Amino acid sequence: MTTLKSRLQDDLTAAIKKRDELRSATLRMTLAAITKEEVAGKSARELTDDEVQSVITREAKKRREAAEAFAGGGRTEQADRERAEGEVLADYLPKQLTDEELDALVGEAVAEAQAGGAEGPRAMGAVMKIVNPKVAGRAEGGRVAAAVKKRLAEG
């Protein structure tokens, strides 16, 4: 078993013993999503830590989107619950990049892509290929794409 998945299970056991309903429910849902991912496809397999982390990232994103939807619909209690679940999941994810750190990485990637001959708005794909491995899991894809577009528009 991967270390991240076993950490989730140990934390679930601790949360159940403490009668922490929010944490135990969130960890149960996340472990269910991991198990679902493990049995998806032609044969069952065990996920690596990176794959488990991407499942957790996906679950955290779902919580953010649900919180926004509930808040937009005037259901603040459910929105608060979703945000709290997102905070529980944030404990298992790498620290997110600040805007300044992201801009610096994007700037390096743009320079590298332009050195390789990529120019103008069509350089987007080349820059994304360079920057994505550097930010893996530390910034959401949409945020990275927006930073790249902004940098390319500046020229």
Side-chain angles (χ1 to χ4, degrees):
M1 185 182 305
T2 62
T3 54
L4 188 54
K5 184 177 175 188
S6 59
R7 180 179 155 210
L8 285 165
Q9 290 177 324
D10 293 345
D11 290 355
L12 172 61
T13 304
I16 291 170
K17 286 179 181 175
K18 290 181 188 170
R19 299 193 188 287
D20 185 344
E21 191 275 330
L22 171 76
R23 192 169 195 80
S24 60
T26 304
L27 294 177
R28 272 195 186 107
M29 274 190 284
T30 305
L31 284 165
I34 291 168
T35 303
K36 182 180 174 190
E37 187 79 17
E38 287 177 331
V39 298
K42 293 187 185 338
S43 62
R45 63 190 179 85
E46 197 165 303
L47 299 180
T48 65
D49 267 354
D50 288 341
E51 291 170 319
V52 169
Q53 192 169 9
S54 70
V55 171
I56 296 171
T57 302
R58 196 167 52 235
E59 290 296 309
K61 182 178 179 188
K62 285 180 190 176
R63 300 303 180 283
R64 266 193 310 280
E65 291 170 352
E68 288 171 20
F70 281 133
R75 298 175 67 185
T76 55
E77 197 172 294
Q78 284 92 341
D80 291 342
R81 169 74 183 209
E82 293 291 336
R83 281 190 203 96
E85 289 180 3
E87 288 170 18
V88 169
L89 293 176
D91 293 344
Y92 301 94
L93 295 172
K95 188 177 174 298
Q96 295 294 296
L97 292 170
T98 64
D99 289 338
E100 293 78 29
E101 292 169 326
L102 181 60
D103 285 340
L105 286 171
V106 167
E108 291 170 16
V110 167
E112 195 175 320
Q114 287 173 341
E119 287 296 322
R122 286 174 295 192
M124 179 82 179
V127 174
M128 290 299 286
K129 272 186 195 158
I130 296 167
V131 83
N132 273 336
K134 294 178 183 177
V135 300
R138 298 185 301 154
E140 213 170 270
R143 196 171 147 222
V144 176
V148 170
K149 279 182 189 166
K150 181 179 161 215
R151 182 60 68 102
L152 288 173
E154 291 171 359

